[in-house]
PDB file of all heavy atoms in Angstrom:
ATOM      1  N   ALA A 176       4.115  -4.622   4.411  1.00  0.00           N
ATOM      2  CA  ALA A 176       2.813  -4.379   3.744  1.00  0.00           C
ATOM      3  C   ALA A 176       2.892  -4.676   2.232  1.00  0.00           C
ATOM      4  O   ALA A 176       1.970  -5.239   1.674  1.00  0.00           O
ATOM      5  CB  ALA A 176       2.391  -2.917   3.965  1.00  0.00           C
ATOM      6  N   VAL A 177       4.044  -4.366   1.614  1.00  0.00           N
ATOM      7  CA  VAL A 177       4.226  -4.659   0.180  1.00  0.00           C
ATOM      8  C   VAL A 177       4.215  -6.186  -0.036  1.00  0.00           C
ATOM      9  O   VAL A 177       3.566  -6.682  -0.925  1.00  0.00           O
ATOM     10  CB  VAL A 177       5.528  -4.019  -0.365  1.00  0.00           C
ATOM     11  CG1 VAL A 177       5.946  -4.601  -1.708  1.00  0.00           C
ATOM     12  CG2 VAL A 177       5.384  -2.504  -0.477  1.00  0.00           C
ATOM     13  N   ASN A 178       4.904  -6.896   0.815  1.00  0.00           N
ATOM     14  CA  ASN A 178       4.938  -8.359   0.706  1.00  0.00           C
ATOM     15  C   ASN A 178       3.534  -8.938   0.934  1.00  0.00           C
ATOM     16  O   ASN A 178       3.115  -9.894   0.243  1.00  0.00           O
ATOM     17  CB  ASN A 178       5.922  -8.977   1.673  1.00  0.00           C
ATOM     18  CG  ASN A 178       7.348  -8.786   1.202  1.00  0.00           C
ATOM     19  OD1 ASN A 178       7.634  -8.923   0.030  1.00  0.00           O
ATOM     20  ND2 ASN A 178       8.212  -8.440   2.116  1.00  0.00           N
ATOM     21  N   ALA A 179       2.807  -8.367   1.890  1.00  0.00           N
ATOM     22  CA  ALA A 179       1.415  -8.825   2.139  1.00  0.00           C
ATOM     23  C   ALA A 179       0.544  -8.556   0.923  1.00  0.00           C
ATOM     24  O   ALA A 179      -0.243  -9.428   0.503  1.00  0.00           O
ATOM     25  CB  ALA A 179       0.843  -8.132   3.373  1.00  0.00           C
ATOM     26  N   ALA A 180       0.666  -7.389   0.331  1.00  0.00           N
ATOM     27  CA  ALA A 180      -0.137  -7.042  -0.880  1.00  0.00           C
ATOM     28  C   ALA A 180       0.200  -7.998  -2.020  1.00  0.00           C
ATOM     29  O   ALA A 180      -0.697  -8.411  -2.774  1.00  0.00           O
ATOM     30  CB  ALA A 180       0.143  -5.593  -1.270  1.00  0.00           C
ATOM     31  N   GLU A 181       1.445  -8.382  -2.130  1.00  0.00           N
ATOM     32  CA  GLU A 181       1.841  -9.333  -3.179  1.00  0.00           C
ATOM     33  C   GLU A 181       1.172 -10.697  -2.985  1.00  0.00           C
ATOM     34  O   GLU A 181       0.821 -11.372  -3.926  1.00  0.00           O
ATOM     35  CB  GLU A 181       3.351  -9.516  -3.198  1.00  0.00           C
ATOM     36  CG  GLU A 181       4.139  -8.355  -3.722  1.00  0.00           C
ATOM     37  CD  GLU A 181       3.925  -8.128  -5.230  1.00  0.00           C
ATOM     38  OE1 GLU A 181       3.871  -9.150  -5.985  1.00  0.00           O
ATOM     39  OE2 GLU A 181       3.817  -6.982  -5.651  1.00  0.00           O
ATOM     40  N   GLN A 182       0.959 -11.077  -1.737  1.00  0.00           N
ATOM     41  CA  GLN A 182       0.300 -12.355  -1.438  1.00  0.00           C
ATOM     42  C   GLN A 182      -1.215 -12.254  -1.580  1.00  0.00           C
ATOM     43  O   GLN A 182      -1.856 -13.198  -2.013  1.00  0.00           O
ATOM     44  CB  GLN A 182       0.647 -12.816  -0.007  1.00  0.00           C
ATOM     45  CG  GLN A 182       2.074 -13.172   0.173  1.00  0.00           C
ATOM     46  CD  GLN A 182       2.464 -14.355  -0.722  1.00  0.00           C
ATOM     47  OE1 GLN A 182       1.830 -15.366  -0.788  1.00  0.00           O
ATOM     48  NE2 GLN A 182       3.580 -14.177  -1.451  1.00  0.00           N
ATOM     49  N   ILE A 183      -1.798 -11.111  -1.258  1.00  0.00           N
ATOM     50  CA  ILE A 183      -3.227 -10.952  -1.302  1.00  0.00           C
ATOM     51  C   ILE A 183      -3.748 -10.761  -2.745  1.00  0.00           C
ATOM     52  O   ILE A 183      -4.712 -11.354  -3.129  1.00  0.00           O
ATOM     53  CB  ILE A 183      -3.666  -9.741  -0.420  1.00  0.00           C
ATOM     54  CG1 ILE A 183      -3.373 -10.050   1.036  1.00  0.00           C
ATOM     55  CG2 ILE A 183      -5.133  -9.412  -0.644  1.00  0.00           C
ATOM     56  CD1 ILE A 183      -3.451  -8.836   1.957  1.00  0.00           C
ATOM     57  N   TYR A 184      -3.050  -9.902  -3.493  1.00  0.00           N
ATOM     58  CA  TYR A 184      -3.450  -9.570  -4.855  1.00  0.00           C
ATOM     59  C   TYR A 184      -2.522 -10.283  -5.819  1.00  0.00           C
ATOM     60  O   TYR A 184      -1.514  -9.752  -6.232  1.00  0.00           O
ATOM     61  CB  TYR A 184      -3.402  -8.062  -5.085  1.00  0.00           C
ATOM     62  CG  TYR A 184      -4.331  -7.318  -4.148  1.00  0.00           C
ATOM     63  CD1 TYR A 184      -3.795  -6.690  -3.002  1.00  0.00           C
ATOM     64  CD2 TYR A 184      -5.658  -7.226  -4.393  1.00  0.00           C
ATOM     65  CE1 TYR A 184      -4.651  -6.000  -2.120  1.00  0.00           C
ATOM     66  CE2 TYR A 184      -6.511  -6.521  -3.523  1.00  0.00           C
ATOM     67  CZ  TYR A 184      -5.983  -5.922  -2.400  1.00  0.00           C
ATOM     68  OH  TYR A 184      -6.804  -5.234  -1.529  1.00  0.00           O
ATOM     69  N   THR A 185      -2.889 -11.502  -6.198  1.00  0.00           N
ATOM     70  CA  THR A 185      -1.993 -12.328  -6.975  1.00  0.00           C
ATOM     71  C   THR A 185      -2.197 -12.230  -8.491  1.00  0.00           C
ATOM     72  O   THR A 185      -1.375 -12.639  -9.252  1.00  0.00           O
ATOM     73  CB  THR A 185      -2.126 -13.827  -6.578  1.00  0.00           C
ATOM     74  OG1 THR A 185      -3.500 -14.211  -6.743  1.00  0.00           O
ATOM     75  CG2 THR A 185      -1.694 -13.997  -5.129  1.00  0.00           C
ATOM     76  N   GLN A 186      -3.327 -11.664  -8.891  1.00  0.00           N
ATOM     77  CA  GLN A 186      -3.607 -11.534 -10.329  1.00  0.00           C
ATOM     78  C   GLN A 186      -2.790 -10.405 -10.944  1.00  0.00           C
ATOM     79  O   GLN A 186      -2.464  -9.409 -10.301  1.00  0.00           O
ATOM     80  CB  GLN A 186      -5.089 -11.295 -10.577  1.00  0.00           C
ATOM     81  CG  GLN A 186      -5.958 -12.459 -10.167  1.00  0.00           C
ATOM     82  CD  GLN A 186      -7.410 -12.148 -10.350  1.00  0.00           C
ATOM     83  OE1 GLN A 186      -7.811 -11.030 -10.673  1.00  0.00           O
ATOM     84  NE2 GLN A 186      -8.257 -13.172 -10.192  1.00  0.00           N
ATOM     85  N   SER A 187      -2.480 -10.590 -12.212  1.00  0.00           N
ATOM     86  CA  SER A 187      -1.744  -9.557 -12.955  1.00  0.00           C
ATOM     87  C   SER A 187      -2.583  -8.308 -13.112  1.00  0.00           C
ATOM     88  O   SER A 187      -3.833  -8.394 -13.211  1.00  0.00           O
ATOM     89  CB  SER A 187      -1.386 -10.139 -14.366  1.00  0.00           C
ATOM     90  OG  SER A 187      -0.699  -9.184 -15.098  1.00  0.00           O
ATOM     91  N   GLY A 188      -1.948  -7.162 -13.133  1.00  0.00           N
ATOM     92  CA  GLY A 188      -2.628  -5.891 -13.369  1.00  0.00           C
ATOM     93  C   GLY A 188      -3.304  -5.316 -12.113  1.00  0.00           C
ATOM     94  O   GLY A 188      -4.190  -4.478 -12.228  1.00  0.00           O
ATOM     95  N   MET A 189      -2.937  -5.744 -10.939  1.00  0.00           N
ATOM     96  CA  MET A 189      -3.555  -5.264  -9.718  1.00  0.00           C
ATOM     97  C   MET A 189      -2.648  -4.315  -8.956  1.00  0.00           C
ATOM     98  O   MET A 189      -2.782  -4.166  -7.724  1.00  0.00           O
ATOM     99  CB  MET A 189      -3.988  -6.447  -8.845  1.00  0.00           C
ATOM    100  CG  MET A 189      -5.001  -7.335  -9.525  1.00  0.00           C
ATOM    101  SD  MET A 189      -5.779  -8.471  -8.386  1.00  0.00           S
ATOM    102  CE  MET A 189      -6.918  -7.380  -7.565  1.00  0.00           C
ATOM    103  N   GLY A 190      -1.766  -3.624  -9.666  1.00  0.00           N
ATOM    104  CA  GLY A 190      -0.825  -2.729  -9.031  1.00  0.00           C
ATOM    105  C   GLY A 190      -1.498  -1.624  -8.234  1.00  0.00           C
ATOM    106  O   GLY A 190      -1.060  -1.268  -7.139  1.00  0.00           O
ATOM    107  N   LYS A 191      -2.568  -1.056  -8.783  1.00  0.00           N
ATOM    108  CA  LYS A 191      -3.293   0.011  -8.083  1.00  0.00           C
ATOM    109  C   LYS A 191      -3.903  -0.491  -6.760  1.00  0.00           C
ATOM    110  O   LYS A 191      -3.795   0.210  -5.758  1.00  0.00           O
ATOM    111  CB  LYS A 191      -4.359   0.591  -8.982  1.00  0.00           C
ATOM    112  CG  LYS A 191      -5.069   1.773  -8.366  1.00  0.00           C
ATOM    113  CD  LYS A 191      -6.071   2.393  -9.338  1.00  0.00           C
ATOM    114  CE  LYS A 191      -6.717   3.578  -8.639  1.00  0.00           C
ATOM    115  NZ  LYS A 191      -7.594   4.319  -9.504  1.00  0.00           N
ATOM    116  N   GLU A 192      -4.474  -1.670  -6.802  1.00  0.00           N
ATOM    117  CA  GLU A 192      -5.045  -2.229  -5.596  1.00  0.00           C
ATOM    118  C   GLU A 192      -3.968  -2.510  -4.561  1.00  0.00           C
ATOM    119  O   GLU A 192      -4.144  -2.271  -3.360  1.00  0.00           O
ATOM    120  CB  GLU A 192      -5.814  -3.526  -5.930  1.00  0.00           C
ATOM    121  CG  GLU A 192      -7.095  -3.324  -6.683  1.00  0.00           C
ATOM    122  CD  GLU A 192      -6.899  -3.176  -8.180  1.00  0.00           C
ATOM    123  OE1 GLU A 192      -5.749  -3.215  -8.662  1.00  0.00           O
ATOM    124  OE2 GLU A 192      -7.910  -3.000  -8.862  1.00  0.00           O
ATOM    125  N   LYS A 193      -2.820  -3.031  -5.018  1.00  0.00           N
ATOM    126  CA  LYS A 193      -1.704  -3.281  -4.102  1.00  0.00           C
ATOM    127  C   LYS A 193      -1.235  -2.001  -3.454  1.00  0.00           C
ATOM    128  O   LYS A 193      -1.030  -1.928  -2.242  1.00  0.00           O
ATOM    129  CB  LYS A 193      -0.534  -3.936  -4.854  1.00  0.00           C
ATOM    130  CG  LYS A 193      -0.810  -5.330  -5.325  1.00  0.00           C
ATOM    131  CD  LYS A 193       0.387  -5.864  -6.107  1.00  0.00           C
ATOM    132  CE  LYS A 193       0.109  -7.170  -6.776  1.00  0.00           C
ATOM    133  NZ  LYS A 193       1.254  -7.671  -7.553  1.00  0.00           N
ATOM    134  N   PHE A 194      -1.069  -0.964  -4.278  1.00  0.00           N
ATOM    135  CA  PHE A 194      -0.613   0.338  -3.753  1.00  0.00           C
ATOM    136  C   PHE A 194      -1.579   0.874  -2.743  1.00  0.00           C
ATOM    137  O   PHE A 194      -1.156   1.345  -1.663  1.00  0.00           O
ATOM    138  CB  PHE A 194      -0.400   1.339  -4.910  1.00  0.00           C
ATOM    139  CG  PHE A 194       0.041   2.660  -4.435  1.00  0.00           C
ATOM    140  CD1 PHE A 194       1.385   2.915  -4.158  1.00  0.00           C
ATOM    141  CD2 PHE A 194      -0.869   3.716  -4.278  1.00  0.00           C
ATOM    142  CE1 PHE A 194       1.776   4.147  -3.720  1.00  0.00           C
ATOM    143  CE2 PHE A 194      -0.457   4.941  -3.813  1.00  0.00           C
ATOM    144  CZ  PHE A 194       0.883   5.161  -3.534  1.00  0.00           C
ATOM    145  N   GLU A 195      -2.873   0.849  -3.039  1.00  0.00           N
ATOM    146  CA  GLU A 195      -3.859   1.379  -2.111  1.00  0.00           C
ATOM    147  C   GLU A 195      -3.891   0.581  -0.822  1.00  0.00           C
ATOM    148  O   GLU A 195      -4.059   1.159   0.269  1.00  0.00           O
ATOM    149  CB  GLU A 195      -5.266   1.390  -2.752  1.00  0.00           C
ATOM    150  CG  GLU A 195      -5.399   2.451  -3.819  1.00  0.00           C
ATOM    151  CD  GLU A 195      -5.179   3.855  -3.306  1.00  0.00           C
ATOM    152  OE1 GLU A 195      -5.691   4.181  -2.204  1.00  0.00           O
ATOM    153  OE2 GLU A 195      -4.543   4.644  -3.979  1.00  0.00           O
ATOM    154  N   TYR A 196      -3.729  -0.717  -0.912  1.00  0.00           N
ATOM    155  CA  TYR A 196      -3.686  -1.568   0.298  1.00  0.00           C
ATOM    156  C   TYR A 196      -2.507  -1.122   1.208  1.00  0.00           C
ATOM    157  O   TYR A 196      -2.676  -0.900   2.403  1.00  0.00           O
ATOM    158  CB  TYR A 196      -3.526  -3.035  -0.094  1.00  0.00           C
ATOM    159  CG  TYR A 196      -3.270  -3.926   1.131  1.00  0.00           C
ATOM    160  CD1 TYR A 196      -4.324  -4.416   1.860  1.00  0.00           C
ATOM    161  CD2 TYR A 196      -1.996  -4.265   1.474  1.00  0.00           C
ATOM    162  CE1 TYR A 196      -4.078  -5.220   2.974  1.00  0.00           C
ATOM    163  CE2 TYR A 196      -1.729  -5.061   2.603  1.00  0.00           C
ATOM    164  CZ  TYR A 196      -2.796  -5.550   3.323  1.00  0.00           C
ATOM    165  OH  TYR A 196      -2.548  -6.322   4.401  1.00  0.00           O
ATOM    166  N   VAL A 197      -1.332  -1.011   0.617  1.00  0.00           N
ATOM    167  CA  VAL A 197      -0.143  -0.618   1.385  1.00  0.00           C
ATOM    168  C   VAL A 197      -0.347   0.801   1.933  1.00  0.00           C
ATOM    169  O   VAL A 197      -0.066   1.031   3.121  1.00  0.00           O
ATOM    170  CB  VAL A 197       1.125  -0.692   0.499  1.00  0.00           C
ATOM    171  CG1 VAL A 197       2.320  -0.123   1.257  1.00  0.00           C
ATOM    172  CG2 VAL A 197       1.368  -2.124   0.050  1.00  0.00           C
ATOM    173  N   LYS A 198      -0.827   1.690   1.108  1.00  0.00           N
ATOM    174  CA  LYS A 198      -1.000   3.087   1.532  1.00  0.00           C
ATOM    175  C   LYS A 198      -1.952   3.164   2.727  1.00  0.00           C
ATOM    176  O   LYS A 198      -1.638   3.807   3.722  1.00  0.00           O
ATOM    177  CB  LYS A 198      -1.514   3.921   0.364  1.00  0.00           C
ATOM    178  CG  LYS A 198      -1.750   5.362   0.673  1.00  0.00           C
ATOM    179  CD  LYS A 198      -2.281   6.077  -0.541  1.00  0.00           C
ATOM    180  CE  LYS A 198      -2.978   7.334  -0.161  1.00  0.00           C
ATOM    181  NZ  LYS A 198      -3.651   7.963  -1.286  1.00  0.00           N
ATOM    182  N   GLU A 199      -3.086   2.518   2.640  1.00  0.00           N
ATOM    183  CA  GLU A 199      -4.065   2.593   3.718  1.00  0.00           C
ATOM    184  C   GLU A 199      -3.562   1.954   5.000  1.00  0.00           C
ATOM    185  O   GLU A 199      -3.786   2.458   6.102  1.00  0.00           O
ATOM    186  CB  GLU A 199      -5.396   1.972   3.278  1.00  0.00           C
ATOM    187  CG  GLU A 199      -6.108   2.762   2.201  1.00  0.00           C
ATOM    188  CD  GLU A 199      -6.351   4.206   2.548  1.00  0.00           C
ATOM    189  OE1 GLU A 199      -6.785   4.485   3.698  1.00  0.00           O
ATOM    190  OE2 GLU A 199      -6.099   5.096   1.722  1.00  0.00           O
ATOM    191  N   TRP A 200      -2.865   0.820   4.854  1.00  0.00           N
ATOM    192  CA  TRP A 200      -2.365   0.119   6.040  1.00  0.00           C
ATOM    193  C   TRP A 200      -1.311   0.970   6.751  1.00  0.00           C
ATOM    194  O   TRP A 200      -1.346   1.115   7.958  1.00  0.00           O
ATOM    195  CB  TRP A 200      -1.774  -1.255   5.624  1.00  0.00           C
ATOM    196  CG  TRP A 200      -1.528  -2.147   6.815  1.00  0.00           C
ATOM    197  CD1 TRP A 200      -2.435  -2.882   7.486  1.00  0.00           C
ATOM    198  CD2 TRP A 200      -0.252  -2.345   7.414  1.00  0.00           C
ATOM    199  NE1 TRP A 200      -1.778  -3.562   8.504  1.00  0.00           N
ATOM    200  CE2 TRP A 200      -0.460  -3.245   8.501  1.00  0.00           C
ATOM    201  CE3 TRP A 200       1.035  -1.864   7.198  1.00  0.00           C
ATOM    202  CZ2 TRP A 200       0.574  -3.690   9.327  1.00  0.00           C
ATOM    203  CZ3 TRP A 200       2.057  -2.293   8.035  1.00  0.00           C
ATOM    204  CH2 TRP A 200       1.835  -3.187   9.064  1.00  0.00           C
ATOM    205  N   ILE A 201      -0.393   1.536   5.987  1.00  0.00           N
ATOM    206  CA  ILE A 201       0.656   2.382   6.603  1.00  0.00           C
ATOM    207  C   ILE A 201       0.063   3.634   7.189  1.00  0.00           C
ATOM    208  O   ILE A 201       0.440   4.034   8.278  1.00  0.00           O
ATOM    209  CB  ILE A 201       1.773   2.683   5.548  1.00  0.00           C
ATOM    210  CG1 ILE A 201       2.530   1.427   5.178  1.00  0.00           C
ATOM    211  CG2 ILE A 201       2.721   3.749   6.101  1.00  0.00           C
ATOM    212  CD1 ILE A 201       3.269   0.707   6.291  1.00  0.00           C
ATOM    213  N   LYS A 202      -0.859   4.264   6.470  1.00  0.00           N
ATOM    214  CA  LYS A 202      -1.466   5.525   6.977  1.00  0.00           C
ATOM    215  C   LYS A 202      -2.181   5.269   8.262  1.00  0.00           C
ATOM    216  O   LYS A 202      -2.323   6.171   9.114  1.00  0.00           O
ATOM    217  CB  LYS A 202      -2.396   6.132   5.942  1.00  0.00           C
ATOM    218  CG  LYS A 202      -1.690   6.620   4.679  1.00  0.00           C
ATOM    219  CD  LYS A 202      -1.029   7.912   4.839  1.00  0.00           C
ATOM    220  CE  LYS A 202      -1.976   9.060   4.514  1.00  0.00           C
ATOM    221  NZ  LYS A 202      -1.332  10.334   4.618  1.00  0.00           N
ATOM    222  N   SER A 203      -2.700   4.043   8.486  1.00  0.00           N
ATOM    223  CA  SER A 203      -3.398   3.744   9.762  1.00  0.00           C
ATOM    224  C   SER A 203      -2.434   3.578  10.894  1.00  0.00           C
ATOM    225  O   SER A 203      -2.803   3.600  12.080  1.00  0.00           O
ATOM    226  CB  SER A 203      -4.263   2.507   9.603  1.00  0.00           C
ATOM    227  OG  SER A 203      -3.484   1.310   9.568  1.00  0.00           O
ATOM    228  N   LYS A 204      -1.130   3.342  10.588  1.00  0.00           N
ATOM    229  CA  LYS A 204      -0.140   3.102  11.613  1.00  0.00           C
ATOM    230  C   LYS A 204       0.818   4.253  11.873  1.00  0.00           C
ATOM    231  O   LYS A 204       1.354   4.395  12.950  1.00  0.00           O
ATOM    232  CB  LYS A 204       0.716   1.866  11.266  1.00  0.00           C
ATOM    233  CG  LYS A 204      -0.056   0.663  10.871  1.00  0.00           C
ATOM    234  CD  LYS A 204      -0.533  -0.093  12.058  1.00  0.00           C
ATOM    235  CE  LYS A 204      -1.157  -1.399  11.657  1.00  0.00           C
ATOM    236  NZ  LYS A 204      -2.469  -1.596  12.212  1.00  0.00           N
ATOM    237  N   PHE A 205       1.074   5.068  10.810  1.00  0.00           N
ATOM    238  CA  PHE A 205       2.055   6.138  10.855  1.00  0.00           C
ATOM    239  C   PHE A 205       1.490   7.423  10.349  1.00  0.00           C
ATOM    240  O   PHE A 205       0.632   7.424   9.462  1.00  0.00           O
ATOM    241  CB  PHE A 205       3.287   5.780   9.999  1.00  0.00           C
ATOM    242  CG  PHE A 205       4.053   4.575  10.461  1.00  0.00           C
ATOM    243  CD1 PHE A 205       3.728   3.329   9.971  1.00  0.00           C
ATOM    244  CD2 PHE A 205       5.111   4.705  11.357  1.00  0.00           C
ATOM    245  CE1 PHE A 205       4.412   2.198  10.391  1.00  0.00           C
ATOM    246  CE2 PHE A 205       5.806   3.602  11.784  1.00  0.00           C
ATOM    247  CZ  PHE A 205       5.481   2.343  11.298  1.00  0.00           C
ATOM    248  N   HIS A 206       1.980   8.539  10.838  1.00  0.00           N
ATOM    249  CA  HIS A 206       1.626   9.856  10.332  1.00  0.00           C
ATOM    250  C   HIS A 206       2.688  10.226   9.291  1.00  0.00           C
ATOM    251  O   HIS A 206       3.839  10.504   9.685  1.00  0.00           O
ATOM    252  CB  HIS A 206       1.560  10.884  11.462  1.00  0.00           C
ATOM    253  CG  HIS A 206       1.235  12.248  10.970  1.00  0.00           C
ATOM    254  ND1 HIS A 206      -0.029  12.584  10.499  1.00  0.00           N
ATOM    255  CD2 HIS A 206       1.974  13.358  10.887  1.00  0.00           C
ATOM    256  CE1 HIS A 206      -0.020  13.842  10.127  1.00  0.00           C
ATOM    257  NE2 HIS A 206       1.203  14.325  10.356  1.00  0.00           N
ATOM    258  N   ILE A 207       2.324  10.216   8.040  1.00  0.00           N
ATOM    259  CA  ILE A 207       3.277  10.511   6.958  1.00  0.00           C
ATOM    260  C   ILE A 207       2.548  11.124   5.776  1.00  0.00           C
ATOM    261  O   ILE A 207       1.351  10.806   5.543  1.00  0.00           O
ATOM    262  CB  ILE A 207       4.012   9.210   6.514  1.00  0.00           C
ATOM    263  CG1 ILE A 207       5.090   9.504   5.479  1.00  0.00           C
ATOM    264  CG2 ILE A 207       3.045   8.139   6.084  1.00  0.00           C
ATOM    265  CD1 ILE A 207       6.000   8.315   5.188  1.00  0.00           C
ATOM    266  N   SER A 208       3.211  11.998   5.043  1.00  0.00           N
ATOM    267  CA  SER A 208       2.561  12.604   3.892  1.00  0.00           C
ATOM    268  C   SER A 208       2.416  11.589   2.758  1.00  0.00           C
ATOM    269  O   SER A 208       3.177  10.614   2.671  1.00  0.00           O
ATOM    270  CB  SER A 208       3.399  13.824   3.392  1.00  0.00           C
ATOM    271  OG  SER A 208       4.588  13.358   2.742  1.00  0.00           O
ATOM    272  N   ASP A 209       1.459  11.810   1.894  1.00  0.00           N
ATOM    273  CA  ASP A 209       1.237  10.939   0.759  1.00  0.00           C
ATOM    274  C   ASP A 209       2.458  10.831  -0.145  1.00  0.00           C
ATOM    275  O   ASP A 209       2.801   9.776  -0.628  1.00  0.00           O
ATOM    276  CB  ASP A 209       0.022  11.361  -0.053  1.00  0.00           C
ATOM    277  CG  ASP A 209      -1.324  11.086   0.666  1.00  0.00           C
ATOM    278  OD1 ASP A 209      -1.319  10.235   1.613  1.00  0.00           O
ATOM    279  OD2 ASP A 209      -2.320  11.690   0.301  1.00  0.00           O
ATOM    280  N   GLU A 210       3.096  11.972  -0.380  1.00  0.00           N
ATOM    281  CA  GLU A 210       4.265  12.004  -1.240  1.00  0.00           C
ATOM    282  C   GLU A 210       5.415  11.193  -0.667  1.00  0.00           C
ATOM    283  O   GLU A 210       6.046  10.406  -1.388  1.00  0.00           O
ATOM    284  CB  GLU A 210       4.716  13.440  -1.493  1.00  0.00           C
ATOM    285  CG  GLU A 210       5.850  13.531  -2.472  1.00  0.00           C
ATOM    286  CD  GLU A 210       6.263  14.978  -2.773  1.00  0.00           C
ATOM    287  OE1 GLU A 210       5.422  15.868  -2.656  1.00  0.00           O
ATOM    288  OE2 GLU A 210       7.433  15.187  -3.071  1.00  0.00           O
ATOM    289  N   ASP A 211       5.709  11.377   0.606  1.00  0.00           N
ATOM    290  CA  ASP A 211       6.776  10.617   1.238  1.00  0.00           C
ATOM    291  C   ASP A 211       6.476   9.140   1.256  1.00  0.00           C
ATOM    292  O   ASP A 211       7.325   8.278   0.960  1.00  0.00           O
ATOM    293  CB  ASP A 211       7.006  11.086   2.687  1.00  0.00           C
ATOM    294  CG  ASP A 211       7.680  12.451   2.740  1.00  0.00           C
ATOM    295  OD1 ASP A 211       8.240  12.898   1.713  1.00  0.00           O
ATOM    296  OD2 ASP A 211       7.645  13.065   3.824  1.00  0.00           O
ATOM    297  N   LEU A 212       5.197   8.806   1.544  1.00  0.00           N
ATOM    298  CA  LEU A 212       4.790   7.391   1.562  1.00  0.00           C
ATOM    299  C   LEU A 212       4.921   6.782   0.180  1.00  0.00           C
ATOM    300  O   LEU A 212       5.416   5.662   0.046  1.00  0.00           O
ATOM    301  CB  LEU A 212       3.364   7.260   2.096  1.00  0.00           C
ATOM    302  CG  LEU A 212       2.833   5.820   2.170  1.00  0.00           C
ATOM    303  CD1 LEU A 212       3.739   4.927   3.008  1.00  0.00           C
ATOM    304  CD2 LEU A 212       1.431   5.847   2.746  1.00  0.00           C
ATOM    305  N   LYS A 213       4.511   7.502  -0.850  1.00  0.00           N
ATOM    306  CA  LYS A 213       4.634   6.993  -2.208  1.00  0.00           C
ATOM    307  C   LYS A 213       6.093   6.658  -2.537  1.00  0.00           C
ATOM    308  O   LYS A 213       6.400   5.617  -3.082  1.00  0.00           O
ATOM    309  CB  LYS A 213       4.083   7.991  -3.211  1.00  0.00           C
ATOM    310  CG  LYS A 213       4.158   7.512  -4.655  1.00  0.00           C
ATOM    311  CD  LYS A 213       3.571   8.592  -5.603  1.00  0.00           C
ATOM    312  CE  LYS A 213       3.594   8.092  -7.036  1.00  0.00           C
ATOM    313  NZ  LYS A 213       4.869   8.106  -7.659  1.00  0.00           N
ATOM    314  N   ASN A 214       6.979   7.543  -2.167  1.00  0.00           N
ATOM    315  CA  ASN A 214       8.400   7.311  -2.430  1.00  0.00           C
ATOM    316  C   ASN A 214       8.943   6.077  -1.674  1.00  0.00           C
ATOM    317  O   ASN A 214       9.707   5.317  -2.229  1.00  0.00           O
ATOM    318  CB  ASN A 214       9.215   8.548  -2.042  1.00  0.00           C
ATOM    319  CG  ASN A 214       8.991   9.692  -3.018  1.00  0.00           C
ATOM    320  OD1 ASN A 214       8.661   9.507  -4.168  1.00  0.00           O
ATOM    321  ND2 ASN A 214       9.133  10.898  -2.543  1.00  0.00           N
TER     322      ASN A 214
END
């Protein structure tokens, strides 16, 4: 998901969008707390 976000959001300064993309994609596939997922 991180690699996919890197390919999707190519402009500088899009870290928040990348993080949200990864977070939402993983949360749709796995049951995990936000804190654990962030780490």
Side-chain angles (χ1 to χ4, degrees):
V177 166
N178 285 318
E181 288 291 320
Q182 292 299 310
I183 294 167
Y184 301 99
T185 58
Q186 295 178 352
S187 179
M189 298 194 76
K191 184 175 181 176
E192 289 83 359
K193 292 176 186 179
F194 178 82
E195 288 300 318
Y196 172 85
V197 174
K198 180 179 159 188
E199 293 304 316
W200 192 80
I201 294 297
K202 294 281 269 183
S203 74
K204 310 278 187 232
F205 296 91
H206 179 71
I207 184 171
S208 73
D209 287 342
E210 183 178 333
D211 288 343
L212 180 55
K213 181 179 183 285
N214 289 333

